[in-house]
Amino acid sequence: MNSIQHVAIIMDGNGRWAEQRGMPRWKGHEAGARAVRRTVEAACRRDIPVLTLFAFSSENWKRPEHEVRILFRLFQKYLAEELDELQENGIRLSAFGRRDRFSTEVVGALERAETATRHCTRLHLRLGLDYGARYEIVEAARTLALQAVRGKTSPAEIDEALFSGMLSSRDVPDPDLVIRTAGEQRLSNFLLWQAAYAELHFSPTLWPDFGESDLQNALDDYHARTRKFGALPCAARVPA
Ligand code: FPP
């Protein structure tokens, strides 16, 4: 069985969930926040060490201003309301992505939650906020190029390990499993480097309805896969 260290989720379908009920889109995001809470609890119960949630992509700034405002209000509400419980349950929270486009209130709420939970070890909950994988990769390349120009790194030294160390995921293993909800089958600029060998699971469930059984389905699907990382499965290996 493949032991699982890291599950990453592209939460999709909040808008459709609301539309199907004749509700405004923000109601879907509100229900999506409840699904976040359920999924974090379910991940804890399954001893998953790292859970990454794609909460706001760099492209999501293109949404109407009032929807963006509501989303950030929900993030702040989540951080404020869940902080005690995160600490009590040993959940470390961290966010990755840009922060220079956030209000000081949002940055403050994130920093408070990160500081208060930094010693927690049961589950590491990572929120992708203003995150885009191409931007992250370009920034890492720029940092390495600057180091090379200043003589601190030579181009010959640059390898996958050094490059990985420049990314926001440097302190967590690559995701074993990437789940996307709402039936869409693409990565949408999420963890493009880190998901190179991840198993992909596409769930038809809209994110606000996502729960314990959907997570279990994804894990069962994952455990049924044979991960080869480009090699041969163990049983098929022949002595040289
Ligand atoms: C995608 O659904 C979802 C988002 C862009 C936002 C994700 C946010 C949440 C789940 C709310 C709370 C999050 C936290 C971390 C507390 P969509 O709006 O693109 O759905 P659609 O494709 O059906 O329109």
Side-chain angles (χ1 to χ4, degrees):
M1 193 181 268
N2 309 310
S3 91
I4 198 151
Q5 296 299 310
H6 184 175
V7 174
I9 307 183
I10 304 174
M11 306 181 288
D12 198 5
N14 293 354
R16 271 163 283 176
W17 184 92
E19 272 160 34
Q20 284 173 5
R21 288 161 179 76
M23 293 172 172
R25 289 178 57 83
W26 67 266
K27 282 278 186 189
H29 296 314
E30 194 181 58
R34 292 195 289 275
V36 167
R37 192 191 152 95
R38 279 199 304 275
T39 305
V40 170
E41 288 170 359
C44 270
R45 280 194 286 276
R46 281 160 182 74
D47 294 324
I48 293 169
V50 184
L51 176 68
T52 296
L53 301 179
F54 200 9
F56 191 86
S57 78
S58 305
E59 289 73 32
N60 287 153
W61 291 111
K62 294 179 202 153
R63 295 189 174 204
E65 207 185 313
H66 71 274
E67 182 167 339
V68 171
R69 211 174 321 117
I70 285 169
L71 276 169
F72 277 92
R73 225 182 283 150
L74 274 173
F75 299 146
Q76 280 180 266
K77 191 165 176 272
Y78 178 83
L79 293 171
E81 288 180 357
E82 301 291 320
L83 188 52
D84 286 349
E85 236 175 279
L86 291 175
Q87 286 177 276
E88 279 161 27
N89 290 303
I91 301 170
R92 174 180 167 200
L93 183 139
S94 70
F96 61 100
R98 293 176 65 168
R99 293 191 189 195
D100 56 312
R101 301 192 277 192
F102 294 166
S103 67
T104 49
E105 289 79 15
V106 170
V107 174
L110 282 173
E111 287 177 352
R112 267 192 302 283
E114 288 178 328
T115 305
T117 62
R118 70 184 182 282
H119 301 302
C120 298
T121 54
R122 185 170 177 202
L123 168 78
H124 185 176
L125 170 62
R126 303 170 69 245
L127 299 181
L129 286 169
D130 198 1
Y131 173 78
R134 286 184 173 183
Y135 180 85
E136 175 182 48
I137 290 168
V138 168
E139 281 302 294
R142 193 197 318 280
T143 305
L144 284 171
L146 272 171
Q147 288 185 1
V149 166
R150 290 175 184 153
K152 290 184 184 157
T153 309
S154 80
E157 273 178 277
I158 299 174
D159 59 11
E160 290 184 16
L162 193 67
F163 198 88
S164 291
M166 295 288 153
L167 303 174
S168 55
S169 50
R170 70 185 75 82
D171 61 342
V172 290
D174 284 344
D176 301 296
L177 171 65
V178 174
I179 300 170
R180 184 172 185 145
T181 62
E184 305 300 339
Q185 303 198 357
R186 53 181 177 272
L187 285 176
S188 297
N189 205 13
F190 183 53
L191 303 181
L192 297 183
W193 173 277
Q194 298 87 340
Y197 284 99
E199 298 297 326
L200 307 180
H201 175 88
F202 301 106
S203 164
T205 304
L206 303 177
W207 176 252
D209 289 327
F210 196 86
E212 188 120 27
S213 60
D214 298 285
L215 181 65
Q216 193 54 51
N217 280 345
L219 294 172
D220 290 345
D221 183 18
Y222 170 81
H223 286 304
R225 312 261 181 106
T226 304
R227 302 188 79 195
K228 297 186 295 182
F229 301 97
L232 291 176
C234 292
R237 277 186 210 142
V238 285

